[in-house]
Amino acid sequence: MLIRTSPRWALPESEATPESLYLDRRALLAGMGVAGAALAAPAMASTDVKQLAALKSRRTHSAGEDPTPLLAVASYNNFYEFGLGKDDPAANAHTLKPSPWGVRIGGLVKKPFVLDVDRYISQAALEERVYRMRCVEGWSMVIPWLGVPLSTLVAFVEPLSSAKYVRFTTLADRKQMPKIGFPTLDWPYREGLRMDEAMHPLTLLTVGLYGRRLPNQNGAPIRLVVPWKYGFKSIKSLVAIDFVEQQPLTSWNQSAPREYGFYSNVNPAVDHPRWSQATERRIGEFGKRDTLPFNGYAAEVAGLYRGMDLKRNF
Ligand code: MTE
């Protein structure tokens, strides 16, 4: 599971940060081992954590194009717990308290535990991955995320053979999230992946962007990033990750099943019932560009869906 190959999107060694600047995977796993017991331990000052994160990261993926400026990444968002407008999250998300923060990881696993996010960030072998992101509404960005492949965590908790899917849950706290009083969705925001999607090396458990911790509006302190799927699958501000047997009910699929499927792979050939998905507007660019199957990651992920009718399983 942890074997690393050298896929097309891996950068040559010469472009990566020197080895001495980041901890290895064993250190990460050791860190996660103590995390469960240490949730109550004092959190590191977030400034320290931010600096550590920047130091230990190395760029392992490049999108082959310039990232969208930080200002746009952090000011044009979807985060409905803070409002429906694109600028609402940046204006309202200051009420979210991202530290200390625990993520409960359990369900059908041998080793459930609570991830202390501050500790995790200080110990994890963070990678910088510049991914193309495509929102279901037709806009896209290129974002330099900081994170660790979700597969590392999955391997650590040792899922039982009955675990076929992973369910992700966002915080739902009215005090910190002013708009969950509105029935926009059935809160908490929930998402899900099939086990092989969760284990795919592109799937990133993300704690930062642009070399710093996640801004609140981008899903602080920890979120999922799945670059070949529409943005709504990349659930923010996680508090629980559960391994389950049945395909989990997800918030968007539950609220509008004809519009938002469980898979939601980026697919220019399958229109949204109310608009085309064939093109997209890259934030910061004039005009539109063609949307690529699997958001340009087909060579890496198309095999996950071999034999499936992607028009039916949208
Ligand atoms: N996660 C939660 N909890 N709540 C949300 O409203 N919006 C999703 C996704 N994750 C959302 C969420 C959608 S529709 C998109 S396009 C991306 O977050 C946007 O992520 P970004 O603001 O970091 O670009």
Side-chain angles (χ1 to χ4, degrees):
M1 260 176 317
L2 294 175
I3 294 171
R4 304 202 68 162
T5 52
S6 277
R8 180 167 76 71
W9 29 259
L11 283 179
E13 198 60 35
S14 55
E15 282 186 63
T17 312
E19 291 273 331
S20 58
L21 289 184
Y22 62 89
L23 301 176
D24 66 15
R25 241 163 246 280
R26 282 190 309 274
L28 160 64
L29 292 175
M32 295 199 302
V34 297
L39 186 66
M44 262 177 114
S46 59
T47 45
D48 296 346
V49 175
K50 195 195 297 175
Q51 281 157 11
L52 278 168
L55 264 184
K56 288 184 299 166
S57 65
R58 62 204 161 104
R59 183 176 285 191
T60 58
H61 293 65
S62 158
E65 52 187 310
D66 289 340
T68 306
L70 174 59
L71 191 63
V73 172
S75 62
Y76 192 85
N77 304 99
N78 274 339
F79 200 165
Y80 290 115
E81 288 86 335
F82 295 99
L84 297 182
K86 301 291 173 238
D87 46 5
D88 285 342
N92 299 333
H94 55 89
T95 49
L96 181 72
K97 292 192 189 64
S99 175
W101 189 286
V103 183
R104 191 184 49 72
I105 302 170
L108 301 170
V109 297
K110 285 202 191 113
K111 300 199 311 204
F113 77 112
V114 179
L115 185 84
D116 173 339
V117 175
D118 284 335
R119 210 169 255 267
Y120 181 70
I121 291 175
S122 72
Q123 295 171 342
L126 298 179
E127 297 175 23
E128 183 177 71
R129 296 181 166 208
V130 188
Y131 282 163
R132 293 177 293 276
M133 304 298 294
R134 167 68 156 79
C135 184
V136 74
E137 294 164 284
W139 46 274
S140 61
M141 297 194 191
V142 179
I143 303 181
W145 301 109
L146 279 181
V148 175
L150 180 67
S151 61
T152 317
L153 191 87
V154 177
F156 181 76
V157 295
E158 295 181 31
L160 306 177
S161 57
S162 51
K164 306 284 186 236
Y165 294 87
V166 189
R167 182 180 64 216
F168 302 88
T169 310
T170 294
L171 178 75
D173 176 0
R174 279 185 190 222
K175 286 200 210 87
Q176 296 184 63
M177 300 171 145
K179 304 298 180 190
I180 63 170
F182 295 98
T184 325
L185 285 173
D186 181 25
W187 313 108
Y189 195 104
R190 280 156 291 118
E191 258 308 333
L193 293 176
R194 218 170 54 189
M195 192 64 122
D196 57 349
E197 298 177 319
M199 292 301 290
H200 193 279
L202 283 175
T203 303
L204 200 66
L205 192 61
T206 301
V207 295
L209 55 79
Y210 267 106
R212 48 176 297 163
R213 291 190 68 156
L214 285 172
N216 285 358
Q217 58 269 33
N218 291 93
I222 190 162
R223 68 177 292 177
L224 190 69
V225 171
V226 194
W228 72 92
K229 293 178 179 282
Y230 290 117
F232 68 85
K233 298 291 289 184
S234 292
I235 179 172
K236 296 175 167 181
S237 303
L238 289 169
V239 291
I241 301 177
D242 288 288
F243 292 76
V244 296
E245 191 161 3
Q246 307 293 335
Q247 182 177 302
L249 198 58
T250 61
S251 294
W252 285 107
N253 187 233
Q254 181 184 353
S255 84
R258 282 187 56 256
E259 303 191 7
Y260 309 108
F262 175 80
Y263 286 96
S264 284
N265 295 317
V266 173
N267 190 346
V270 176
D271 289 340
H272 184 279
R274 290 181 280 134
W275 60 84
S276 161
Q277 293 290 23
T279 60
E280 67 198 60
R281 185 173 63 87
R282 186 76 101 236
I283 297 298
E285 283 182 3
F286 292 110
K288 292 202 167 182
R289 51 165 79 198
D290 288 343
T291 287
L292 300 172
F294 300 104
N295 202 24
Y297 297 98
E300 288 82 22
V301 302
L304 296 174
Y305 309 102
R306 200 158 287 136
M308 280 176 70
D309 177 351
L310 296 179
K311 293 218 155 100
R312 215 160 53 83
N313 297 287
F314 60 88

